[in-house]
Each structure stands twice: as structure tokens, then as C-alpha cells.
């Protein structure tokens, strides 16, 4: 049993044991070396016994604290805890590998990416119990109190599973059982006269539950999960870009839209997101300038806040921090595939060779709950374009400046007076600020005459700063679109509905 996928777990355990012993021996070495350096310092009449910054703290450190008191804070004694931690991880991973082998021998499939996870080893009984419990929902009489308690039992079992257990569960579970579970979770209506019924799961619980599943599940089973739970993947076939084959404002082509893994990494190589800058963000070809302007303006004021809101999971999925329509913070989990055009380029938002804004956008498409319709010029009332939606990219097109900020920062934005001094005061107080343009052909023609292609009606911009008395507005379309520099009079004529965002400290 010990040899599996080229790894001999018995040998790995033996190595872990040796590392643990070496860590323990390091305490004696620490004590002896500290004694030598301390005696040397005394004989040298206070002159340094060593110039090595790693060894200098050992001078005078003759008593080595046990590990349960924190142990030494300098080399070599620190090897005790470091090698001990490494040994513990190797032992856990060996047990994980052995137990996964048993699951596979019993007919389960476990994704290769999960075989070496540093987690509690899988228990086959957890999987079989969950399969049985889920199947029992078929045709069950839920009694007089509704089905919520039954659903919560299944939910609790699934959420208590390890990644390997969840993956094995999805390998074995019938698609019909998953789809039934989804239908029951989403049906929160009572049964008419039994007003005390509690049916389905509240929207927030459903969202968190789906994120938990997706955050653990191996890539081989993502498609099965998304087919059963539509709330895991937003659609894009009702967007203006898909329906028209282009962005309705700037005309950027959007043909051949399909799901795919982008060539751009999550963050620029070697940065780990430390170089997030607002100026790099590009809206892309979906009509969600109001959201991208909110995201960009927040990144300009507090880039670390935006960086802290996105995390990649070991299975390749991505967690994004979003506040929902009720003001509750949610970590929405999405798969790494994105809408791409016929050339394989990201359809939505991006940032100078990195893809992190597109995942913010994808999570927002799943979480946004305030859409009441909206359409490009000339399409108002056309149900193909102008309709209330939820859980897809179409829902996040064409909305008002005050709608996106609460989903980005967790706080409502404040409407401020529509003049440059008021905007300057809010901006210089540390608030991201966004503004909107009006509509109409005359406004568009006049704006084109001043700012050319970077100006557009029914568009949202963000405040980048000021030049003397003039205001500088950034276009969420991003580079190469130039900033708009407007006089106070021009601002008043062309822009309105300014919103000041509140970013948590």
C-alpha cells in the first residue's frame, strides 16, 4: 500500500521522523553554540564574538525554552519548530495519500491535485453517508415544518468534508440528486396554508454553500457542479456584447465569445498583486462602467483593500470578497475560466497583463441583486436587452452610479453637491469619487468636440485628481483612452450624480 503514484509513504514517514529528531537535536546545538559565543564575548572584553546577524542573538541565550513556551527566536534552535512543522505536514500528506489510494481502490475518483493536500485524511463513511442523505431527499414527505432542516443536514455534511471527500462524493453522486438538491435549496416559498413552513435555504446561505463546495472541488468535477448548480457560473449570452458582437459605446469587437482560461496570470509575475494600480485597469467590453469605475476609484485610494479582497485557492478557484444586497460580506468562489473573444482575449475587465479585475467582475455578476433592467440607447423597452436579471453578466450592465459601491466597499456611497469644489473636498478627504454623464446626441457631439473619443454619454468616470481649478477624470475604459480634464464650467455642463465612496480603513 505504501507505494502510490510514485511516492513511497513509508519512506516519507521515515524521513519525517528523522527531521523531527534533527529538530530536537538542534536545541542542544543551540545551547552549546550560545555557550561558546557567550564565553568568547566575555574573553574579548565585550567585543563582538560574531558578526553574523543570525548568530548574534545567541550571545547570552544560555537557557533554551521548551517548544510549548515558544522556543528560541534565533538559529539554530528555531529549527526545532520549523523541522517539526515540516515533519507534521509530511506525515499528514502521507496519510492523505494512503487514504486516497483506498478510495480509488474502492471505485472513487479523486483529482490528482487533491492527493497531496495537507488536510485530514478522507473517511469513506463520510462520503457514503452524504450520498445516502442526499438521495433520501427524493420524494420525501418533509412534514409540517418544511424541508429547511433536512437541507441543512445535507449542507452540514457536505461542508464538513475535506477536499478529497467532496471530490469523491461528486464523482459518485447522481446528477439527478444534485439537481434536486439545487431545486429544493432555491424554493423558499411556503406551502400555502402552512405559513409556518420553512423551505429552501436563504440566498446568503446558498451562496456561501456553493462557494464552499467549489473552493474544495477538483477541476475534473467543476462542470458537473456548475450544471447542477447554475448559481456557480454566470451566463453571458444576454449581454449587449454577445447580442451585438461589440461594445455598444466604444464599438470594440466582441465576436466569438466563449468560456476559456485566460493567458494572463491573476497578478503580474513576481508581484503577487503588490503593484495594483488604478491606471492599469481596463473595463473591457461589457457595459458595466458604473461597477468598474467604482472598483478603479477604490483601487486608486486604497490598493491594498482591493488586493486583500481576492485569493486563489489550492484547487485553482478564486475567492472574491463581495458585499451582498443586504450588506453582508461574502467570499464568492469562481472558477478560473472567463468569457473570452474569438482571439482568446479577456472579454471583461483586465489590468495591464493580469486578470484579477475580471474575477472581481465575475463574482459581482453572480452576487449583484439590484438589477431592474437597463439597455443601450435605442433599446429601452426591448426585452431582448432591457430586462431585470440576476446571476449573470447581463445583470451588471446599465445601472446607476450609487448601485455598485456597496458591493465593492460594503458601505453605501454618499451623493455630493455637483460642483468641482465639493468633489475636491471629498477626494482630498480620502474618498473615491465617481461621476456620470448625461444622454443625448447633442451632448455626445459637443463632448466629442472637446475631449474626442474618450468622452461618452451614459458613462461613468472616476476622479483622478485636479489641475489647478480643473478636475481630472479617469475613463474606466483604461489605456489608451486619455483622461478628461474639465473646467468647473465644463464639469457642470457635462457631468452629474457624483458619489463619494467610503472605504473601510
Amino acid at each position: 500500500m505504501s507505494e502510490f503514484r510514485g511516492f513511497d509513504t513509508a519512506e516519507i514517514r521515515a524521513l519525517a521522523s528523522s527531521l523531527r529528531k534533527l529538530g530536537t537535536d538542534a536545541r542542544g546545538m543551540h545551547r552549546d553554540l550560545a555557550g561558546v559565543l557567550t564565553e568568547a564575548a566575555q574573553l574579548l572584553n565585550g567585543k563582538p564574538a560574531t558578526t553574523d546577524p543570525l548568530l548574534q542573538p545567541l550571545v547570552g541565550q544560555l537557557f533554551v525554552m521548551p517548544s510549548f513556551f515558544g522556543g528560541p527566536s534565533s538559529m539554530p534552535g528555531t529549527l526545532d519548530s520549523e523541522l517539526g512543522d515540516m515533519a507534521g505536514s509530511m506525515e499528514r500528506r502521507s496519510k492523505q495519500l494512503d487514504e486516497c489510494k483506498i478510495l480509488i481502490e474502492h471505485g472513487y475518483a479523486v483529482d490528482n491535485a487533491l492527493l497531496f493536500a495537507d488536510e485530514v485524511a478522507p473517511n469513506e463513511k463520510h462520503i457514503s453517508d452524504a450520498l445516502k442523505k442526499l438521495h433520501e431527499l427524493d420524494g420525501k414527505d418533509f412534514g409540517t415544518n418544511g424541508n429547511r432542516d433536512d437541507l441543512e443536514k445535507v449542507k452540514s455534511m457536505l461542508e464538513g468534508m475535506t477536499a478529497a471527500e467532496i471530490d469523491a462524493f461528486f464523482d459518485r453522486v447522481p446528477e439527478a440528486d444534485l439537481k434536486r438538491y439545487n431545486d429544493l435549496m432555491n424554493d423558499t416559498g411556503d406551502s400555502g396554508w402552512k405559513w409556518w413552513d420553512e423551505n429552501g435555504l436563504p440566498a446568503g446561505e446558498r451562496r456561501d454553500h456553493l462557494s464552499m463546495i467549489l473552493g474544495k472541488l477538483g477541476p475534473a468535477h467543476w462542470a458537473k457542479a456548475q450544471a447542477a448548480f447554475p448559481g456557480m457560473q454566470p451566463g453571458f449570452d444576454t449581454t449587449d456584447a454577445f447580442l451585438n458582437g461589440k461594445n455598444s459605446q466604444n464599438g470594440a469587437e466582441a465576436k466569438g465569445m466563449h468560456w476559456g482560461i485566460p493567458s494572463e496570470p491573476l497578478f503580474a509575475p513576481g508581484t503577487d498583486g503588490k503593484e495594483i494600480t488604478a491606471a492599469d485597469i481596463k473595463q473591457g467590453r461589457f457595459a458595466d462602467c458604473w461597477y468598474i469605475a467604482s472598483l478603479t476609484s477604490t483601487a486608486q485610494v486604497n490598493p491594498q483593500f482591493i488586493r486583500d479582497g481576492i485569493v486563489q485557492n489550492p484547487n485553482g478557484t478564486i475567492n472574491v470578497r463581495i458585499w451582498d444586497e443586504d450588506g453582508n460580506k461574502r467570499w464568492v468562489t469562481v472558477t478560473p475560466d472567463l468569457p473570452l473573444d474569438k482571439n482568446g482575449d479577456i472579454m471583461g475587465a483586465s489590468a495591464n497583463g493580469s486578470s484579477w479585475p475580471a474575477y472581481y467582475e465575475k463574482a459581482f455578476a453572480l452576487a449583484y441583486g439590484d438589477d431592474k433592467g437597463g439597455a443601450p440607447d435605442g433599446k429601452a423597452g426591448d426585452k431582448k436587452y432591457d430586462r431585470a436579471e440576476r446571476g449573470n453578466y447581463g445583470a451588471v450592465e446599465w445601472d446607476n452610479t450609487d448601485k455598485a459601491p456597496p458591493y465593492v466597499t460594503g458601505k453605501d456611497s454618499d451623493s455630493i453637491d455637483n460642483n468641482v469644489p465639493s468633489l475636491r473636498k471629498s477626494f482630498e478627504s480620502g474618498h473615491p469619487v465617481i461621476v456620470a454623464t448625461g444622454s443625448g446626441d447633442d451632448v455626445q457631439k459637443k463632448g466629442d468636440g472637446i475631449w474626442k473619443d474618450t468622452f461618452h454619454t451614459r458613462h461613468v468616470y472616476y476622479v483622478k485628481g485636479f489641475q489647478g481649478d480643473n478636475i481630472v477624470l479617469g475613463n474606466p475604459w483604461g489605456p489608451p483612452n486619455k483622461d478628461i480634464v474639465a473646467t468647473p464650467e465644463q464639469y457642470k455642463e457635462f457631468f452629474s450624480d457624483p458619489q463619494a465612496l467610503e472605504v473601510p480603513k
Side-chain angles (χ1 to χ4, degrees):
M1 176 185 291
S2 64
E3 291 187 6
F4 180 52
R5 301 292 172 95
F7 288 85
D8 188 325
T9 51
E11 291 291 336
I12 295 173
R13 287 190 176 92
L15 176 59
S17 178
S18 296
L19 289 175
R20 199 182 299 280
K21 183 178 184 304
L22 288 171
T24 302
D25 292 345
R27 287 186 170 273
M29 182 190 299
H30 185 102
R31 183 177 54 252
D32 293 343
L33 186 56
V36 170
L37 291 173
T38 300
E39 183 178 359
Q42 293 170 346
L43 294 173
L44 292 170
N45 296 319
K47 292 181 179 179
T50 177
T51 58
D52 190 321
L54 293 176
L55 298 180
Q56 286 173 349
L58 271 67
V59 178
Q61 195 181 106
L62 300 178
F63 177 69
V64 183
M65 296 288 288
S67 59
F68 50 82
F69 286 122
S73 58
S74 57
M75 295 288 284
T78 51
L79 289 174
D80 183 19
S81 59
E82 292 174 5
L83 294 179
D85 290 345
M86 186 182 299
S89 177
M90 292 168 66
E91 290 163 348
R92 288 190 298 273
R93 292 173 192 270
S94 294
K95 185 170 178 57
Q96 166 86 353
L97 196 60
D98 285 342
E99 295 300 322
C100 284
K101 180 182 180 183
I102 293 173
L103 288 180
I104 292 171
E105 289 173 346
H106 289 182
Y108 293 94
V110 180
D111 195 288
N112 285 339
L114 305 177
L115 293 177
F116 308 96
D118 190 357
E119 61 181 9
V120 176
N123 184 325
E124 187 173 356
K125 188 175 187 304
H126 295 165
I127 303 166
S128 58
D129 287 350
L131 288 167
K132 181 174 181 291
K133 199 72 175 177
L134 189 68
H135 186 69
E136 287 175 351
L137 296 175
D138 184 16
K140 182 174 182 178
D141 179 2
F142 294 103
T144 60
N145 66 338
N147 62 24
R148 183 165 298 173
D149 56 339
D150 299 275
L151 295 174
E152 286 179 338
K153 288 176 183 176
V154 175
K155 173 176 171 287
S156 178
M157 294 177 79
L158 293 177
E159 293 186 354
M161 286 182 166
T162 67
E165 288 170 348
I166 278 281
D167 207 56
F169 170 87
F170 266 82
D171 177 65
R172 188 67 62 87
V173 66
E175 293 179 4
D177 285 2
L178 287 177
K179 291 178 179 178
R180 182 187 310 111
Y181 182 45
N182 178 71
D183 291 343
L184 291 171
M185 283 196 299
N186 281 278
D187 185 3
T188 56
D190 61 37
S191 58
W193 64 273
K194 291 192 294 184
W195 53 266
W196 58 86
D197 271 2
E198 285 189 314
N199 291 307
L201 295 177
E205 284 189 34
R206 294 197 305 271
R207 168 56 48 213
D208 292 346
H209 187 43
L210 296 184
S211 290
M212 181 285 306
I213 291 173
L214 199 53
K216 293 182 179 180
L217 196 59
H221 293 130
W222 290 346
K224 183 176 182 179
Q226 289 170 340
F229 305 112
M232 282 185 174
Q233 183 85 321
F236 56 67
D237 59 355
T238 61
T239 62
D240 297 347
F242 181 85
L243 295 172
N244 295 332
K246 63 180 181 180
N247 179 282
S248 59
Q249 288 188 317
N250 61 20
E253 187 180 282
K255 294 179 180 178
M257 205 183 307
H258 64 281
W259 287 107
I261 303 296
S263 58
E264 297 87 343
L266 184 62
F267 297 110
T271 69
D272 192 32
K274 296 175 183 176
E275 302 298 326
I276 282 180
T277 57
D280 290 337
I281 300 174
K282 298 181 180 182
Q283 177 185 332
R285 286 160 281 185
F286 295 128
D288 58 353
C289 58
W290 55 289
Y291 173 69
I292 301 302
S294 298
L295 183 71
T296 304
S297 62
T298 303
Q300 177 181 240
V301 170
N302 191 341
Q304 189 60 44
F305 176 78
I306 296 298
R307 174 63 186 90
D308 291 343
I310 185 165
V311 179
Q312 190 158 27
N313 295 312
N315 69 343
T317 58
I318 296 154
N319 294 340
V320 182
R321 180 189 56 205
I322 295 282
W323 281 264
D324 65 19
E325 60 192 296
D326 297 317
N328 301 306
K329 183 170 70 174
R330 306 280 178 200
W331 283 91
V332 178
T333 304
V334 296
T335 49
D337 53 339
L338 294 170
L340 307 178
D341 66 14
K342 64 180 183 181
N343 299 317
D345 296 325
I346 295 175
M347 272 294 311
S350 61
N352 192 27
S354 56
S355 58
W356 66 264
Y359 295 107
Y360 261 100
E361 188 177 44
K362 185 176 182 179
F364 181 57
L366 285 174
Y368 185 55
D370 292 317
D371 179 51
K372 295 180 175 60
D377 291 340
K379 301 294 184 180
D382 183 342
K383 293 302 180 183
K384 184 178 179 181
Y385 295 86
D386 192 1
R387 54 177 172 169
E389 300 179 74
R390 184 161 190 159
N392 57 48
Y393 282 96
V396 303
E397 294 190 309
W398 303 106
D399 221 322
N400 299 321
T401 52
D402 64 333
K403 295 296 185 181
Y407 288 84
V408 177
T409 69
K411 298 178 181 293
D412 289 334
S413 58
D414 292 326
S415 296
I416 53 181
D417 291 340
N418 192 41
N419 57 68
V420 171
S422 293
L423 271 65
R424 183 192 292 269
K425 180 179 179 181
S426 291
F427 181 80
E428 292 181 350
S429 297
H431 295 282
V433 179
I434 57 176
V435 301
T437 55
S439 59
D441 292 340
D442 291 342
V443 176
Q444 181 66 59
K445 184 176 180 180
K446 192 171 183 180
D448 284 345
I450 304 172
W451 298 294
K452 303 188 185 302
D453 292 342
T454 196
F455 176 83
H456 212 287
T457 55
R458 296 188 65 194
H459 194 39
V460 179
Y461 296 79
Y462 67 99
V463 176
K464 290 188 73 172
F466 298 84
Q467 292 180 4
D469 293 333
N470 299 336
I471 189 169
V472 181
L473 301 174
N475 189 336
W477 289 344
N481 296 279
K482 296 180 179 180
D483 298 334
I484 284 180
V485 180
T487 66
E489 295 75 23
Q490 289 171 332
Y491 172 83
K492 190 76 173 178
E493 180 179 359
F494 289 94
F495 299 91
S496 61
D497 197 22
Q499 302 286 319
L501 285 65
E502 184 72 37
V503 182
K505 302 299 184 184

